[in-house]
Amino acid sequence: MIKKYLLAPGPTPVPESVLLAMAQPIFHHRTPQFEALFAETAKALQGLFKTTQDVIVLASSGTGAMEAAVVNTTSPGDRVLVVNGGKFGERWGKIAAGYGLVVDEIAVEWGTAVDPAAIAKALRERPETKLVLVQASETSTTVLHQVAEIAKITRATDTLLVVDGITAVGVLDLPMDALGIDVLVTGSQKALMLPPGLAFVALSEKAWKAAAAAQQPRFYFDLKRERDNQQKHTTAWTPAISLIFGLHEALRLLFAEGLDNVFARHDRLARATRAGVRALGLELVAPTAPSPATTGLYLPAGVPGKIVGYLRDAVGVTFAGGQDRFKGKICRIAHLGYIGSFDIVTAMAALEMGIAAYGRPVTLGRGVGAAQEILLEGMPAVPAA
Ligand SMILES: *Cc1c(COP(=O)(O)O)cnc(C)c1O
């Protein structure tokens, strides 16, 4: 038997009580019973997004909500600005191109964050730009973009700011209304601690106005229809009922911990992981703008990308490797969702022992110890004598 640890940036581990909630017998969705559950869930989602707008629940993976964001706010031939600093930024461009939009791109060096000034400049040059499309956390490069700064720019224009928050919502504070984000998207299998299959999207007043004029073809992802239904505490189509059971419980867990504590936990786990990586003398992929969701590190010389598969299959610890130009070069340790201090201890120990198994020099315990120094911050006070 090999005990498994899932430390990849989605899907992430699912808490026991969420698994049990999803195991309960299905009940029909056109019932007062479901409507009561869905109403509570929808309200909690507004709390998570920090918005007074409806957070629409879709049965799809996160990319479905990205597509919904695009098709509900544009007409063919519209111009959009994509921040492309990794695989998910690239995906915004592909979705937009797929719907006949004119795509301008800001190419961002992998491992770095976009300079908000570049967005301001692009919008000054092309004020007709309908959308700015960006990731809050670019999971492929483990970078955090400065959404608050970008929102300051778009707020003063007619352009909508569309944020893929798939590894940010529930990881860090991203108050949609206060920042002035126009469309915020997330998915179930990252910080929400659920299996894949649900996606979420909320629109600002400004974005709903754009939606009323948007001419893109749409049917399943028609957000106006979903909103009309959600306001009656139901969904347009059959919801992923079992996942909604799980979502209700996952949100209960997040609010029981307290969102500020959830954000502080993610920040602590991320700092601990980075400290461990640095203590091992390894280089971070995103040293200047690291995401609190996932830490990327360059593999040391002589350690092949295959270490990720070895740790997963032979050792039982799942990290993520790199994609595209990062393939074989980096390893990503995720710390979002149902993750605690001792997952990070495990992660650092596995990394050290993996490097040792490949015959490269490493001081066992050095990364673990550096991580522990920071994890200590999260230790509860001992009981009074
Ligand atoms: C995981 C992820 C997605 C993709 O979501 P799917 O659920 O695979 O469709 C999109 N954006 C970011 C930033 C992600 O981390």
Side-chain angles (χ1 to χ4, degrees), residues 64-85:
M66 292 172 74
E67 177 160 334
V70 171
V71 299
N72 282 273
T73 54
T74 61
S75 301
D78 280 353
R79 182 154 219 143
V80 300
L81 179 65
V82 167
V83 173
N84 181 353

Side-chain angles (χ1 to χ4, degrees), residues 9 85-86 110-112 136-145 167 274 284-297 320-321 326 330-335:
W110 281 34
T112 69
S137 163
E138 172 52 81
T139 319
S140 66
T141 62
T142 68
V143 159
L144 189 69
H145 289 299
T167 51
R274 294 198 294 268
L284 294 168
V285 173
T288 54
S291 167
T294 307
T295 296
L297 58 101
F326 279 163
I330 73 164
C331 167
R332 290 173 297 153
I333 302 173
H335 29 69

Side-chain angles (χ1 to χ4, degrees), residues 79-337:
R79 182 154 219 143
V80 300
L81 179 65
V82 167
V83 173
N84 181 353
K87 289 302 287 176
F88 294 109
E90 182 180 85
R91 186 170 304 175
W92 274 136
K94 285 183 177 168
I95 295 170
Y99 280 97
L101 299 171
V102 179
V103 181
D104 299 307
E105 224 172 62
I106 298 181
V108 180
E109 197 190 326
W110 281 34
T112 69
V114 68
D115 178 3
I119 293 173
K121 179 164 175 284
L123 293 185
R124 272 198 308 276
E125 285 168 0
R126 297 182 293 275
E128 73 277 20
T129 300
K130 285 285 194 303
L131 314 176
V132 170
L133 298 147
V134 68
Q135 274 57 43
S137 163
E138 172 52 81
T139 319
S140 66
T141 62
T142 68
V143 159
L144 189 69
H145 289 299
Q146 296 175 58
V147 168
E149 294 307 310
I150 299 168
K152 280 184 197 156
I153 296 160
T154 52
R155 246 174 12 212
T157 68
D158 292 331
T159 305
L160 300 175
L161 175 59
V162 181
V163 176
D164 167 0
I166 296 181
T167 51
V169 174
V171 172
L172 60 124
D173 198 21
L174 203 61
M176 176 174 167
D177 290 0
L179 294 181
I181 295 171
D182 293 300
V183 183
L184 182 58
V185 167
T186 197
S188 56
Q189 79 275 26
K190 310 272 170 107
L192 286 181
M193 312 182 289
L194 289 161
L198 292 179
F200 311 91
V201 54
L203 275 63
S204 69
E205 219 42 64
K206 187 172 154 191
W208 280 116
K209 276 207 196 90
Q215 296 297 311
Q216 293 288 9
R218 54 191 186 267
F219 184 77
Y220 186 74
F221 289 140
D222 182 345
L223 295 179
K224 166 78 164 56
R225 188 192 277 119
E226 282 297 345
R227 179 166 75 158
D228 291 346
N229 277 278
Q230 198 160 309
Q231 288 176 346
K232 291 178 263 170
H233 311 307
T234 189
T235 53
W237 322 115
T238 308
I241 298 169
S242 299
L243 286 169
I244 305 275
F245 293 161
L247 173 63
H248 184 267
E249 172 60 13
L251 289 165
R252 190 192 67 72
L253 291 175
L254 288 177
F255 284 99
E257 183 176 355
L259 289 186
D260 288 342
N261 295 328
V262 170
F263 303 147
R265 173 167 53 85
H266 282 89
D267 176 67
R268 188 167 62 243
L269 299 178
R271 283 186 292 114
T273 307
R274 294 198 294 268
V277 167
R278 283 203 188 94
L280 289 173
L282 303 178
E283 221 184 303
L284 294 168
V285 173
T288 54
S291 167
T294 307
T295 296
L297 58 101
Y298 286 101
L299 292 168
V303 175
K306 280 187 304 205
I307 189 176
V308 174
Y310 163 74
L311 288 173
R312 181 190 63 227
D313 301 332
V315 178
V317 178
T318 298
F319 299 145
Q323 299 157 288
D324 274 12
R325 73 196 76 166
F326 279 163
K327 203 171 164 58
K329 297 201 173 83
I330 73 164
C331 167
R332 290 173 297 153
I333 302 173
H335 29 69
L336 75 167

Side-chain angles (χ1 to χ4, degrees), residues 10-33:
T12 62
V14 179
E16 295 79 353
S17 68
V18 174
L19 290 170
L20 284 172
M22 292 187 300
Q24 68 186 288
I26 290 274
F27 50 72
H28 198 276
H29 57 292
R30 306 294 182 204
T31 56
Q33 214 182 348

